[in-house]
Amino acid sequence: MSLMNIANVDLNLLKTFEALHDESSASRAALRLGVTQSAISAALRRLRNLYGDQLFVRTGRGLAPTLRANQLKPVISEALDKCRQSLAMVDPHVSHYQGRSVIVGLSDDFEIAHGRRLIEEVAQRAPGLRLIFRQTHSQIVGQALMERNLDLAITAGGFAQRLLSRQVLGEGDYACLVDPASLTEGQHTLSLEAFVAREHVLVSSGGFIGITDEGLAGLGLSRRVCASTTHFAALPFLLKGSQAVATIPAHAARAIASLSGLEVLPCPLALPHYPIELGWRTPTQMDPAMVKVREAIVATFT
């Protein structure tokens, strides 16, 4: 590919690239940008010629980015974000949030407990701005932020990279979740002996060992984990009609119980509290949209 002058490049093509990468579909990209699908196809041909690469290849599930497209995505998105920031400096209140999305990474315990209120807080501060909730956890969140797969993230740590900023939102603790039918009348606690005797459902990103097992091991005890899941939202279906117990963050236990009819019990095992943190790429901290969503997150967790 020969060297080219940016003066000869239609910068609107970058918006098409971003939409195609985010939506993985020409038809959805067209809807997002308010143009026809044929216009997207024409723009994609020009993008392929511009970068000397296929960029997006058709699969059974839509359009998949090539290696070159994935390499280009963070650079192009950062450039477009700078343009959006410049427009927001002119009118920081409403106009330029319309149609803009911010990707918030979090595990579904935070999404279940705080997602609805966060949507409402953002709607008050930045009307028209849309949230995308995307699953993450502390082991992968730093890389996901640096690779621009996330804009902001809420986790129990994981923001150690030099170019990431973080803010402590609060402190978390644990509670137990059970089917009330598995309790005797008037029972509102589990003894440690009864806790260990029950089957356990673990929520974990991998494996069958969790912080509860570490706490029990310190007492010379162990439990039997009958199943492990990556999603807190599955617990009502896994616990109902059983004697099993799940030991999970207390905020998630309360939120799930309020909608499912499960019972929240104090954890009979002393488990350490953990920090709840908000993280973001430091260079984006002056972006008005990011500022508004960060403010909304802080208000949600206060």
Side-chain angles (χ1 to χ4, degrees), residues 130-170:
R130 300 172 301 184
L131 294 176
I132 298 173
F133 294 132
R134 188 166 291 171
Q135 288 285 297
T136 193
H137 55 78
S138 58
Q139 281 78 42
I140 63 173
V141 66
Q143 183 177 352
L145 281 167
M146 294 304 298
E147 293 179 352
R148 301 182 66 88
N149 293 320
L150 305 173
D151 295 314
L152 301 164
I154 303 165
T155 65
F159 307 113
Q161 281 89 338
R162 182 174 58 86
L163 294 177
L164 295 181
S165 295
R166 63 182 177 178
Q167 177 178 353
V168 176
L169 297 171

Side-chain angles (χ1 to χ4, degrees), residues 49-284:
N49 183 60
L50 181 66
Y51 288 108
D53 188 85
Q54 280 288 95
L55 297 179
F56 301 95
V57 294
R58 190 167 299 282
T59 69
R61 302 185 64 182
L63 295 174
T66 64
L67 174 60
R68 174 58 61 86
N70 283 332
Q71 292 169 337
L72 289 170
K73 177 59 165 59
V75 179
I76 289 175
S77 287
E78 183 173 1
L80 290 172
D81 283 346
K82 293 294 185 184
C83 293
R84 294 181 184 115
Q85 289 177 45
S86 71
L87 295 173
M89 290 170 65
V90 179
D91 183 2
H93 300 294
V94 176
S95 302
H96 300 291
Y97 297 125
Q98 189 66 41
R100 182 160 180 199
S101 299
V102 171
I103 304 172
V104 180
L106 70 178
S107 51
D108 71 327
D109 59 321
F110 291 126
E111 189 174 350
I112 290 167
H114 301 292
R116 182 64 249 173
R117 186 181 169 196
L118 179 54
I119 292 169
E120 293 167 355
E121 291 285 348
V122 168
Q124 291 179 12
R125 289 168 169 78
L129 189 147
R130 300 172 301 184
L131 294 176
I132 298 173
F133 294 132
R134 188 166 291 171
Q135 288 285 297
T136 193
H137 55 78
S138 58
Q139 281 78 42
I140 63 173
V141 66
Q143 183 177 352
L145 281 167
M146 294 304 298
E147 293 179 352
R148 301 182 66 88
N149 293 320
L150 305 173
D151 295 314
L152 301 164
I154 303 165
T155 65
F159 307 113
Q161 281 89 338
R162 182 174 58 86
L163 294 177
L164 295 181
S165 295
R166 63 182 177 178
Q167 177 178 353
V168 176
L169 297 171
E171 189 176 67
D173 59 355
Y174 295 91
C176 293
L177 204 57
V178 300
D179 184 343
S182 71
L183 302 172
T184 59
E185 186 176 353
Q187 182 181 1
H188 299 293
T189 62
L190 283 176
S191 68
L192 184 58
E193 181 182 14
F195 176 77
V196 171
R198 287 185 176 234
E199 291 184 332
H200 290 253
V201 175
L202 172 66
V203 182
S204 173
S205 56
F208 283 92
I209 302 297
I211 190 169
T212 302
D213 300 282
E214 296 173 2
L216 288 171
L219 300 175
L221 300 171
S222 63
R223 63 176 179 168
R224 187 172 83 84
V225 176
C226 61
S228 176
T229 177
T230 57
H231 292 87
F232 291 88
L235 288 176
F237 306 96
L238 301 179
L239 294 176
K240 277 286 190 178
S242 79
Q243 296 287 315
V245 56
T247 305
I248 64 174
H251 60 264
R254 290 189 293 268
I256 292 171
S258 69
L259 294 175
S260 67
L262 294 175
E263 182 87 8
V264 179
L265 302 178
C267 182
L269 181 67
L271 296 175
H273 291 197
Y274 57 91
I276 301 171
E277 296 182 335
L278 168 64
W280 64 91
R281 292 183 301 280
T282 301
T284 68

